[in-house]
Amino acid sequence: MQASRARLFKEYKEVQREKAVDPEIQLICDDSNIFKWTALIKGPSETPYEGGVFQLALVVPEQYPLQPPQVRFLTKIFHPNVHFKSGEICLDILKTAWSPAWTLQSVCRAIIALMAHPEPDSPLNCDSGNLLRSGDIRGYQSMARMYTRLAAMPKKG
Amino acid sequence: MQNPEQQVAEDEQDTADSNRLPTIDDWANIKDCDIMQQQSAIQAEEAHKLPYVGDKEPLSVLEVEYQSGSPILQKKIKTLSEGFAFVRRTRGDGNCFFRCFMFSYLEHVLELQDKTEVERMKGKVEECRKTLQNLGYVDFTFEDFFALYLDQLESVIQGTEASISQDELVTKCRDQSISDYVVMFFRFVTSGEIKKRSEFYEPFILGLSNCTVDQFCKTSVEPMGEESDHVHITALSDALGVPIRVMYLDRSSCDSGVGVNHHDFLPGAADLQQGSDSGSSAVKPYITLLYRPGHYDILYSK
């Protein structure tokens, strides 16, 4: 508990320093609980998520950094490796390939990379995975873009 | 297509107690966090059976274990008992090699009160720190693990307030908050060494897993619970300059009879093969591990 708190405090300071380096990622620590974080990540360019801002919820376990943070999308997203309803993410570093070499910041970077490079062979969203696997890139892109517009962009007045 | 039951289940999700154990009906709803919870429950159950590092036991426990086992193994155990008196088991949680190395090494330094070795090791640890920095690792991701290892190293030398006895060393190696951190320190060191000398390790890694050096380190070295192979042992032995002997208790045999094979991991052996081999005879491993397919334990010579 003490070790995880100390580590998170270091990450907090790092996040303040990195702000300018990583404009795609905005990591915000809960005011009263250093084990709860929110991230706002920008959809990568030249993907159907471009122009969207996606909110992630990060819950850090007491065993951190020996155990990974739990991360899920709060913003609705149509992506093969994100559960459409729960926002759960299928990413090896959040499960079996986790190591303390990762940080909350680099986890967010990995999620942005996953948005740009979906892995349809291990889908959590089968509809999305099937579109990609059957080669219907246009179908996948238009669905993903529609949900980006609906859920991840400011509403036009 | 919307199934009414599914809808109810979703509504429940928000309020459901996350600790509740999944039943068969729940398979559709099972989430990754449930799987991870189940995994840690299994690990906790295993923990009751054997601590991270067990007690020193006479080698005869192996004879009992293989009483009705293969005759080749029984013969090998007999041969082993000529040279070794005790075995110390470690938990089979995928970290057993690192756990064996931690205990065996610290116990050796504690018994000999070898201050020169502690200083030599500190120098190696600093080299490993630089290796990771040069590879682009962020300091705060590994420094806690380095600091905790150095604390343990200091504590086995008597005469300071932090000094510990052998019994306390056992207790510490069984304490998750220390033991796992030291294991993770070794994983960082091993990963750094493999990446630093990637051209040397690449062919071995290709033979093991058909992936790149970076991928191998990411998926098979750095994560806790990933088992060690000869690549890991070579890299750790090299990085820290500690020779390791492994006795192989498996069912292999040859015409000339049943002998117990062993392999010595000698630091810098790969370099010595290329250049002059003067000085390679000087190091004799003081850490001896017993390998049974998939697991390592510690052996004590007579």
mmCIF file of all heavy atoms in Angstrom, chain A residues 1-32:
data_model
loop_
_atom_site.group_PDB
_atom_site.id
_atom_site.type_symbol
_atom_site.label_atom_id
_atom_site.label_comp_id
_atom_site.label_asym_id
_atom_site.label_seq_id
_atom_site.Cartn_x
_atom_site.Cartn_y
_atom_site.Cartn_z
ATOM 1 N N MET A 1 0.848 -1.204 0.000
ATOM 2 C CA MET A 1 0.000 0.000 0.000
ATOM 3 C C MET A 1 0.880 1.250 0.000
ATOM 4 O O MET A 1 0.712 2.143 -0.815
ATOM 5 C CB MET A 1 -0.886 -0.034 1.258
ATOM 6 C CG MET A 1 -1.881 1.093 1.309
ATOM 7 S SD MET A 1 -3.334 0.751 0.295
ATOM 8 C CE MET A 1 -4.389 2.112 0.770
ATOM 9 N N GLN A 2 1.865 1.239 0.925
ATOM 10 C CA GLN A 2 2.771 2.376 1.019
ATOM 11 C C GLN A 2 3.594 2.502 -0.258
ATOM 12 O O GLN A 2 3.772 3.591 -0.790
ATOM 13 C CB GLN A 2 3.691 2.170 2.230
ATOM 14 C CG GLN A 2 4.181 3.458 2.860
ATOM 15 C CD GLN A 2 3.049 4.439 3.134
ATOM 16 O OE1 GLN A 2 2.024 4.070 3.698
ATOM 17 N NE2 GLN A 2 3.211 5.676 2.713
ATOM 18 N N ALA A 3 4.061 1.334 -0.751
ATOM 19 C CA ALA A 3 4.896 1.315 -1.952
ATOM 20 C C ALA A 3 4.115 1.822 -3.161
ATOM 21 O O ALA A 3 4.627 2.599 -3.967
ATOM 22 C CB ALA A 3 5.398 -0.103 -2.203
ATOM 23 N N SER A 4 2.840 1.399 -3.258
ATOM 24 C CA SER A 4 2.059 1.815 -4.419
ATOM 25 C C SER A 4 1.771 3.310 -4.364
ATOM 26 O O SER A 4 1.801 4.001 -5.385
ATOM 27 C CB SER A 4 0.753 1.021 -4.492
ATOM 28 O OG SER A 4 0.049 1.115 -3.284
ATOM 29 N N ARG A 5 1.531 3.803 -3.153
ATOM 30 C CA ARG A 5 1.264 5.232 -2.992
ATOM 31 C C ARG A 5 2.482 6.069 -3.406
ATOM 32 O O ARG A 5 2.365 7.052 -4.140
ATOM 33 C CB ARG A 5 0.908 5.502 -1.529
ATOM 34 C CG ARG A 5 0.162 6.783 -1.283
ATOM 35 C CD ARG A 5 -0.145 6.894 0.197
ATOM 36 N NE ARG A 5 -1.235 6.021 0.607
ATOM 37 C CZ ARG A 5 -2.519 6.339 0.457
ATOM 38 N NH1 ARG A 5 -2.859 7.483 -0.092
ATOM 39 N NH2 ARG A 5 -3.459 5.522 0.849
ATOM 40 N N ALA A 6 3.666 5.604 -2.949
ATOM 41 C CA ALA A 6 4.898 6.323 -3.273
ATOM 42 C C ALA A 6 5.135 6.327 -4.783
ATOM 43 O O ALA A 6 5.496 7.356 -5.376
ATOM 44 C CB ALA A 6 6.081 5.667 -2.560
ATOM 45 N N ARG A 7 4.884 5.182 -5.394
ATOM 46 C CA ARG A 7 5.083 5.073 -6.835
ATOM 47 C C ARG A 7 4.106 5.995 -7.584
ATOM 48 O O ARG A 7 4.477 6.687 -8.528
ATOM 49 C CB ARG A 7 4.887 3.602 -7.237
ATOM 50 C CG ARG A 7 4.582 3.352 -8.685
ATOM 51 C CD ARG A 7 5.800 3.519 -9.585
ATOM 52 N NE ARG A 7 5.418 3.259 -10.957
ATOM 53 C CZ ARG A 7 5.910 2.252 -11.680
ATOM 54 N NH1 ARG A 7 6.812 1.452 -11.183
ATOM 55 N NH2 ARG A 7 5.499 2.067 -12.918
ATOM 56 N N LEU A 8 2.840 5.990 -7.145
ATOM 57 C CA LEU A 8 1.842 6.827 -7.816
ATOM 58 C C LEU A 8 2.167 8.302 -7.672
ATOM 59 O O LEU A 8 1.914 9.102 -8.578
ATOM 60 C CB LEU A 8 0.443 6.528 -7.262
ATOM 61 C CG LEU A 8 -0.181 5.232 -7.761
ATOM 62 C CD1 LEU A 8 -1.405 4.865 -6.944
ATOM 63 C CD2 LEU A 8 -0.547 5.342 -9.243
ATOM 64 N N PHE A 9 2.751 8.644 -6.532
ATOM 65 C CA PHE A 9 3.127 10.040 -6.337
ATOM 66 C C PHE A 9 4.200 10.448 -7.346
ATOM 67 O O PHE A 9 4.143 11.540 -7.929
ATOM 68 C CB PHE A 9 3.598 10.264 -4.896
ATOM 69 C CG PHE A 9 3.688 11.709 -4.536
ATOM 70 C CD1 PHE A 9 2.543 12.489 -4.446
ATOM 71 C CD2 PHE A 9 4.925 12.302 -4.311
ATOM 72 C CE1 PHE A 9 2.622 13.832 -4.138
ATOM 73 C CE2 PHE A 9 5.016 13.648 -3.998
ATOM 74 C CZ PHE A 9 3.858 14.425 -3.908
ATOM 75 N N LYS A 10 5.153 9.527 -7.588
ATOM 76 C CA LYS A 10 6.179 9.795 -8.600
ATOM 77 C C LYS A 10 5.536 9.946 -9.983
ATOM 78 O O LYS A 10 5.925 10.792 -10.776
ATOM 79 C CB LYS A 10 7.200 8.655 -8.644
ATOM 80 C CG LYS A 10 8.136 8.634 -7.453
ATOM 81 C CD LYS A 10 9.067 7.441 -7.556
ATOM 82 C CE LYS A 10 9.754 7.163 -6.237
ATOM 83 N NZ LYS A 10 10.445 5.862 -6.227
ATOM 84 N N GLU A 11 4.559 9.096 -10.249
ATOM 85 C CA GLU A 11 3.886 9.176 -11.548
ATOM 86 C C GLU A 11 3.137 10.499 -11.680
ATOM 87 O O GLU A 11 3.100 11.093 -12.755
ATOM 88 C CB GLU A 11 2.929 7.988 -11.731
ATOM 89 C CG GLU A 11 3.657 6.664 -11.795
ATOM 90 C CD GLU A 11 2.928 5.615 -12.608
ATOM 91 O OE1 GLU A 11 2.148 5.973 -13.516
ATOM 92 O OE2 GLU A 11 3.152 4.420 -12.337
ATOM 93 N N TYR A 12 2.555 10.923 -10.574
ATOM 94 C CA TYR A 12 1.818 12.178 -10.579
ATOM 95 C C TYR A 12 2.734 13.333 -10.987
ATOM 96 O O TYR A 12 2.395 14.155 -11.845
ATOM 97 C CB TYR A 12 1.225 12.427 -9.189
ATOM 98 C CG TYR A 12 0.439 13.714 -9.089
ATOM 99 C CD1 TYR A 12 -0.875 13.778 -9.567
ATOM 100 C CD2 TYR A 12 1.008 14.860 -8.541
ATOM 101 C CE1 TYR A 12 -1.587 14.954 -9.486
ATOM 102 C CE2 TYR A 12 0.291 16.034 -8.458
ATOM 103 C CZ TYR A 12 -1.007 16.083 -8.933
ATOM 104 O OH TYR A 12 -1.716 17.245 -8.869
ATOM 105 N N LYS A 13 3.942 13.340 -10.383
ATOM 106 C CA LYS A 13 4.895 14.406 -10.715
ATOM 107 C C LYS A 13 5.336 14.316 -12.174
ATOM 108 O O LYS A 13 5.462 15.327 -12.866
ATOM 109 C CB LYS A 13 6.114 14.321 -9.782
ATOM 110 C CG LYS A 13 5.800 14.837 -8.385
ATOM 111 C CD LYS A 13 7.060 15.205 -7.620
ATOM 112 C CE LYS A 13 7.734 13.949 -7.121
ATOM 113 N NZ LYS A 13 8.815 14.216 -6.157
ATOM 114 N N GLU A 14 5.538 13.076 -12.631
ATOM 115 C CA GLU A 14 5.951 12.840 -14.020
ATOM 116 C C GLU A 14 4.871 13.342 -14.988
ATOM 117 O O GLU A 14 5.175 13.960 -16.009
ATOM 118 C CB GLU A 14 6.203 11.341 -14.221
ATOM 119 C CG GLU A 14 6.699 10.946 -15.597
ATOM 120 C CD GLU A 14 8.165 11.281 -15.820
ATOM 121 O OE1 GLU A 14 8.802 11.788 -14.865
ATOM 122 O OE2 GLU A 14 8.662 11.050 -16.938
ATOM 123 N N VAL A 15 3.617 13.072 -14.635
ATOM 124 C CA VAL A 15 2.502 13.494 -15.478
ATOM 125 C C VAL A 15 2.507 15.015 -15.628
ATOM 126 O O VAL A 15 2.299 15.544 -16.732
ATOM 127 C CB VAL A 15 1.159 12.994 -14.882
ATOM 128 C CG1 VAL A 15 -0.021 13.755 -15.467
ATOM 129 C CG2 VAL A 15 0.998 11.505 -15.125
ATOM 130 N N GLN A 16 2.773 15.730 -14.536
ATOM 131 C CA GLN A 16 2.812 17.197 -14.612
ATOM 132 C C GLN A 16 3.917 17.651 -15.560
ATOM 133 O O GLN A 16 3.750 18.588 -16.324
ATOM 134 C CB GLN A 16 3.051 17.813 -13.228
ATOM 135 C CG GLN A 16 2.109 17.323 -12.134
ATOM 136 C CD GLN A 16 0.647 17.400 -12.520
ATOM 137 O OE1 GLN A 16 0.193 18.395 -13.064
ATOM 138 N NE2 GLN A 16 -0.098 16.327 -12.274
ATOM 139 N N ARG A 17 5.071 16.930 -15.506
ATOM 140 C CA ARG A 17 6.196 17.284 -16.379
ATOM 141 C C ARG A 17 5.909 16.951 -17.833
ATOM 142 O O ARG A 17 6.313 17.676 -18.726
ATOM 143 C CB ARG A 17 7.451 16.513 -15.936
ATOM 144 C CG ARG A 17 8.316 17.236 -14.934
ATOM 145 C CD ARG A 17 9.721 16.672 -14.957
ATOM 146 N NE ARG A 17 9.767 15.250 -14.671
ATOM 147 C CZ ARG A 17 9.830 14.752 -13.420
ATOM 148 N NH1 ARG A 17 9.852 15.546 -12.397
ATOM 149 N NH2 ARG A 17 9.867 13.439 -13.235
ATOM 150 N N GLU A 18 5.230 15.822 -18.072
ATOM 151 C CA GLU A 18 5.047 15.309 -19.429
ATOM 152 C C GLU A 18 3.956 16.034 -20.213
ATOM 153 O O GLU A 18 3.809 15.795 -21.409
ATOM 154 C CB GLU A 18 4.702 13.812 -19.386
ATOM 155 C CG GLU A 18 5.843 12.927 -18.947
ATOM 156 C CD GLU A 18 6.541 12.263 -20.120
ATOM 157 O OE1 GLU A 18 5.842 11.726 -20.991
ATOM 158 O OE2 GLU A 18 7.780 12.288 -20.151
ATOM 159 N N LYS A 19 3.188 16.862 -19.519
ATOM 160 C CA LYS A 19 2.000 17.455 -20.148
ATOM 161 C C LYS A 19 2.278 18.003 -21.540
ATOM 162 O O LYS A 19 1.534 17.760 -22.473
ATOM 163 C CB LYS A 19 1.430 18.552 -19.249
ATOM 164 C CG LYS A 19 0.226 18.071 -18.471
ATOM 165 C CD LYS A 19 -0.295 19.158 -17.566
ATOM 166 C CE LYS A 19 -1.377 18.581 -16.670
ATOM 167 N NZ LYS A 19 -1.596 19.382 -15.471
ATOM 168 N N ALA A 20 3.394 18.732 -21.654
ATOM 169 C CA ALA A 20 3.709 19.362 -22.935
ATOM 170 C C ALA A 20 4.171 18.340 -23.970
ATOM 171 O O ALA A 20 3.936 18.496 -25.164
ATOM 172 C CB ALA A 20 4.788 20.419 -22.725
ATOM 173 N N VAL A 21 4.817 17.258 -23.487
ATOM 174 C CA VAL A 21 5.380 16.259 -24.411
ATOM 175 C C VAL A 21 4.290 15.431 -25.081
ATOM 176 O O VAL A 21 4.386 15.056 -26.239
ATOM 177 C CB VAL A 21 6.339 15.308 -23.640
ATOM 178 C CG1 VAL A 21 7.123 14.433 -24.604
ATOM 179 C CG2 VAL A 21 7.276 16.110 -22.743
ATOM 180 N N ASP A 22 3.254 15.123 -24.319
ATOM 181 C CA ASP A 22 2.199 14.227 -24.790
ATOM 182 C C ASP A 22 0.853 14.940 -24.840
ATOM 183 O O ASP A 22 -0.012 14.701 -24.004
ATOM 184 C CB ASP A 22 2.089 13.037 -23.810
ATOM 185 C CG ASP A 22 2.617 11.757 -24.424
ATOM 186 O OD1 ASP A 22 2.695 11.677 -25.657
ATOM 187 O OD2 ASP A 22 2.937 10.838 -23.646
ATOM 188 N N PRO A 23 0.644 15.825 -25.810
ATOM 189 C CA PRO A 23 -0.616 16.574 -25.807
ATOM 190 C C PRO A 23 -1.840 15.688 -26.083
ATOM 191 O O PRO A 23 -2.962 16.115 -25.844
ATOM 192 C CB PRO A 23 -0.417 17.605 -26.925
ATOM 193 C CG PRO A 23 0.656 17.050 -27.792
ATOM 194 C CD PRO A 23 1.499 16.161 -26.941
ATOM 195 N N GLU A 24 -1.595 14.454 -26.546
ATOM 196 C CA GLU A 24 -2.727 13.548 -26.824
ATOM 197 C C GLU A 24 -3.332 12.992 -25.540
ATOM 198 O O GLU A 24 -4.415 12.440 -25.558
ATOM 199 C CB GLU A 24 -2.289 12.356 -27.689
ATOM 200 C CG GLU A 24 -1.988 12.692 -29.125
ATOM 201 C CD GLU A 24 -0.617 13.299 -29.284
ATOM 202 O OE1 GLU A 24 0.250 13.001 -28.420
ATOM 203 O OE2 GLU A 24 -0.410 14.062 -30.233
ATOM 204 N N ILE A 25 -2.548 13.074 -24.445
ATOM 205 C CA ILE A 25 -2.992 12.435 -23.206
ATOM 206 C C ILE A 25 -3.108 13.454 -22.081
ATOM 207 O O ILE A 25 -2.187 14.221 -21.831
ATOM 208 C CB ILE A 25 -1.984 11.347 -22.766
ATOM 209 C CG1 ILE A 25 -1.828 10.285 -23.854
ATOM 210 C CG2 ILE A 25 -2.421 10.700 -21.454
ATOM 211 C CD1 ILE A 25 -0.629 9.400 -23.674
ATOM 212 N N GLN A 26 -4.272 13.428 -21.438
ATOM 213 C CA GLN A 26 -4.437 14.263 -20.254
ATOM 214 C C GLN A 26 -4.836 13.342 -19.111
ATOM 215 O O GLN A 26 -5.927 12.758 -19.123
ATOM 216 C CB GLN A 26 -5.519 15.300 -20.529
ATOM 217 C CG GLN A 26 -5.447 16.502 -19.632
ATOM 218 C CD GLN A 26 -6.666 17.394 -19.838
ATOM 219 O OE1 GLN A 26 -7.291 17.370 -20.898
ATOM 220 N NE2 GLN A 26 -7.014 18.140 -18.815
ATOM 221 N N LEU A 27 -3.911 13.165 -18.160
ATOM 222 C CA LEU A 27 -4.181 12.259 -17.037
ATOM 223 C C LEU A 27 -4.527 13.089 -15.810
ATOM 224 O O LEU A 27 -3.782 13.989 -15.435
ATOM 225 C CB LEU A 27 -2.933 11.434 -16.749
ATOM 226 C CG LEU A 27 -2.893 9.983 -17.199
ATOM 227 C CD1 LEU A 27 -1.497 9.421 -17.020
ATOM 228 C CD2 LEU A 27 -3.895 9.119 -16.453
ATOM 229 N N ILE A 28 -5.657 12.772 -15.213
ATOM 230 C CA ILE A 28 -6.099 13.551 -14.065
ATOM 231 C C ILE A 28 -6.303 12.622 -12.879
ATOM 232 O O ILE A 28 -7.007 11.617 -12.970
ATOM 233 C CB ILE A 28 -7.431 14.283 -14.361
ATOM 234 C CG1 ILE A 28 -7.304 15.035 -15.686
ATOM 235 C CG2 ILE A 28 -7.807 15.226 -13.226
ATOM 236 C CD1 ILE A 28 -8.520 14.919 -16.563
ATOM 237 N N CYS A 29 -5.664 12.979 -11.767
ATOM 238 C CA CYS A 29 -5.809 12.183 -10.549
ATOM 239 C C CYS A 29 -7.027 12.679 -9.779
ATOM 240 O O CYS A 29 -7.274 13.874 -9.706
ATOM 241 C CB CYS A 29 -4.548 12.315 -9.712
ATOM 242 S SG CYS A 29 -4.620 11.411 -8.180
ATOM 243 N N ASP A 30 -7.775 11.749 -9.215
ATOM 244 C CA ASP A 30 -8.914 12.105 -8.375
ATOM 245 C C ASP A 30 -8.437 12.992 -7.215
ATOM 246 O O ASP A 30 -7.378 12.765 -6.652
ATOM 247 C CB ASP A 30 -9.527 10.805 -7.829
ATOM 248 C CG ASP A 30 -10.818 11.047 -7.069
ATOM 249 O OD1 ASP A 30 -10.751 11.511 -5.914
ATOM 250 O OD2 ASP A 30 -11.877 10.782 -7.649
ATOM 251 N N ASP A 31 -9.230 14.006 -6.888
ATOM 252 C CA ASP A 31 -8.828 14.977 -5.856
ATOM 253 C C ASP A 31 -8.520 14.330 -4.508
ATOM 254 O O ASP A 31 -7.616 14.747 -3.797
ATOM 255 C CB ASP A 31 -9.954 16.002 -5.640
ATOM 256 C CG ASP A 31 -10.008 16.971 -6.804
ATOM 257 O OD1 ASP A 31 -8.984 17.085 -7.492
ATOM 258 O OD2 ASP A 31 -11.067 17.594 -7.003
ATOM 259 N N SER A 32 -9.287 13.295 -4.184
ATOM 260 C CA SER A 32 -9.171 12.767 -2.825
ATOM 261 C C SER A 32 -8.578 11.356 -2.786
ATOM 262 O O SER A 32 -8.361 10.813 -1.720
ATOM 263 C CB SER A 32 -10.558 12.751 -2.172
ATOM 264 O OG SER A 32 -11.436 11.982 -2.974
#
